[in-house]
C-alpha cells in the first residue's frame, strides 16, 4: 500500500518530466548529445527511484534506510555522464552536458522526496545558468579565446617558419602542436589565444599565405 496517494506520486513524476524537458530543450537547441528525451527520462528515473526508496523504507516499518537505493543514482549517473564526454588531443567536449545530467539526477531525487518547490527553483536556476552564461562565454571569447587550426601545406622547406612569422607579425603567440611531413602534402596543427577579431584576421591572412593549401579549425 502506498504511503502517499497515487495521485501525489504521479504529480511528482510529471513535474520531473517537465523540469527535465525544460532543461533538455536548452541542450537540444545547442545540438548537445543529451537532448530533451534523455534529460526527461533521466530526471523521471531519479524521481521514480527516490519514490521507490521511500516506499521500501516505509514497508519495513521505518527500519530501512530510505536513501540506500536512491544513493545508487549518484554513483550510476557517473557512467551516463562519462559517455557524453569526448576527449581529443586538443579539446575536451561534453563536460557541461555531463554536469547537467548529474544535477538533473539531484533534481529528480528532490522531486521524488517531495521537495517540489526546491526542485522547481533549482530547475529554473539551472535553465537560466545554461542560457545566460552561454552569452557571457561568447562575450569573453570575443575578447580572448582559444583556437586550434590545422593547416594543409605545400611540401617544401621553410613553410612552417613563414607561418610562424605571420603569427609574430600579427602579435599572436602561436604554438606548433603537431607536424606531419609524410607524403606529398604536409599538415601542421597550431594553437593560440586571440580575440575573435585577431582570429578572423589571422585566418584571412593564412588563406592567402604562400604555401598554405587549406585551413580547418579543430
Amino acid at each position: 500500500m502506498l504511503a502517499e496517494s497515487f495521485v501525489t506520486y504521479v504529480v511528482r513524476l510529471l513535474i520531473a518530466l517537465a523540469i527535465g524537458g525544460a532543461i533538455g530543450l536548452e541542450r537540444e537547441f545547442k545540438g548537445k548529445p543529451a537532448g530533451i528525451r534523455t534529460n526527461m527520462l533521466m530526471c523521471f528515473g531519479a524521481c521514480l527511484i527516490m519514490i521507490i526508496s521511500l516506499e521500501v523504507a516505509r514497508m519495513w516499518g521505518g527500519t530501512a534506510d530510505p536513501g540506500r537505493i536512491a544513493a545508487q543514482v549518484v554513483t550510476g549517473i557517473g557512467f551516463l555522464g562519462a559517455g557524453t564526454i569526448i576527449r581529443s588531443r586538443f579539446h575536451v567536449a561534453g563536460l557541461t552536458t555531463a554536469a547537467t545530467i548529474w544535477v538533473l539526477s539531484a533534481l529528480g531525487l528532490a522531486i521524488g522526496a517531495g521537495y517540489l518547490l526546491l526542485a522547481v527553483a533549482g530547475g529554473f536556476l539551472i535553465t537560466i545558468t545554461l542560457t545566460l552564461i552561454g552569452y557571457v562565454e561568447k562575450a569573453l571569447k570575443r575578447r580572448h579565446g582559444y583556437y586550434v587550426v590545422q593547416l594543409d601545406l605545400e611540401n617544401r622547406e621553410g613553410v612552417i617558419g613563414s607561418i610562424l612569422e605571420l603569427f609574430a607579425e600579427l602579435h599572436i603567440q602561436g604554438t606548433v602542436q603537431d607536424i606531419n611531413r609524410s607524403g606529398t602534402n604536409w599538415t601542421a596543427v597550431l594553437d593560440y589565444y586571440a580575440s575573435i577579431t585577431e582570429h578572423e584576421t589571422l585566418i584571412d591572412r593564412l588563406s592567402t599565405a604562400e604555401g598554405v593549401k587549406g585551413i580547418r579549425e579543430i
Side-chain angles (χ1 to χ4, degrees):
M1 190 70 180
L2 295 176
E4 301 281 351
S5 70
F6 177 75
V7 174
T8 299
Y9 284 145
V10 170
V11 169
R12 292 181 186 179
L13 292 171
L14 289 175
I15 292 174
L17 283 175
I19 292 178
I23 295 175
L25 189 63
E26 187 274 341
R27 299 279 85 192
E28 192 79 38
F29 281 150
K30 291 186 177 178
K32 303 303 180 180
I36 297 177
R37 289 183 298 178
T38 302
N39 284 281
M40 289 178 70
L41 291 173
M42 225 292 308
C43 196
F44 181 93
C47 178
L48 183 59
I49 290 173
M50 188 71 239
I51 290 172
I52 293 171
S53 297
L54 293 173
E55 286 300 320
V56 168
R58 290 190 179 107
M59 185 172 62
W60 287 91
T63 59
D65 180 8
R68 186 171 182 179
I69 300 175
Q72 304 310 308
V73 172
V74 180
T75 305
I77 203 63
F79 292 97
L80 185 60
T84 68
I85 299 174
I86 302 173
R87 184 183 185 279
S88 66
R89 184 173 178 180
F90 305 103
H91 289 289
V92 177
L95 291 174
T96 301
T97 300
T100 302
I101 289 174
W102 178 76
V103 78
L104 264 177
S105 69
L107 290 179
L109 292 174
I111 295 168
Y115 298 103
L116 304 184
L117 186 59
L118 178 63
V120 171
F124 174 76
L125 291 173
I126 293 167
T127 304
I128 293 298
T129 299
L130 290 172
T131 304
L132 295 184
I133 297 303
Y135 292 109
V136 174
E137 290 176 338
K138 288 180 181 179
L140 291 175
K141 192 171 184 180
R142 286 188 171 275
R143 296 178 61 87
H144 205 64
Y146 175 71
Y147 301 94
V148 182
V149 294
Q150 177 178 298
L151 305 178
D152 295 326
L153 306 172
E154 293 180 357
N155 184 352
R156 64 178 178 82
E157 294 296 333
V159 65
I160 299 296
S162 64
I163 296 300
L164 293 177
E165 288 177 2
L166 177 57
F167 272 79
E169 180 184 337
L170 297 175
H171 305 288
I172 298 174
Q173 182 64 46
T175 303
V176 180
Q177 295 291 344
D178 184 59
I179 299 177
N180 183 359
R181 299 186 179 183
S182 62
T184 57
N185 294 323
W186 290 2
T187 60
V189 176
L190 298 94
D191 67 346
Y192 54 93
Y193 285 94
S195 68
I196 192 168
T197 302
E198 292 172 334
H199 169 66
E200 291 174 349
T201 301
L202 175 63
I203 294 300
D204 288 340
R205 293 287 300 275
L206 286 173
S207 63
T208 58
E210 185 179 358
V212 179
K213 302 171 64 176
I215 307 171
R216 181 168 67 91
E217 290 191 46
I218 301 177

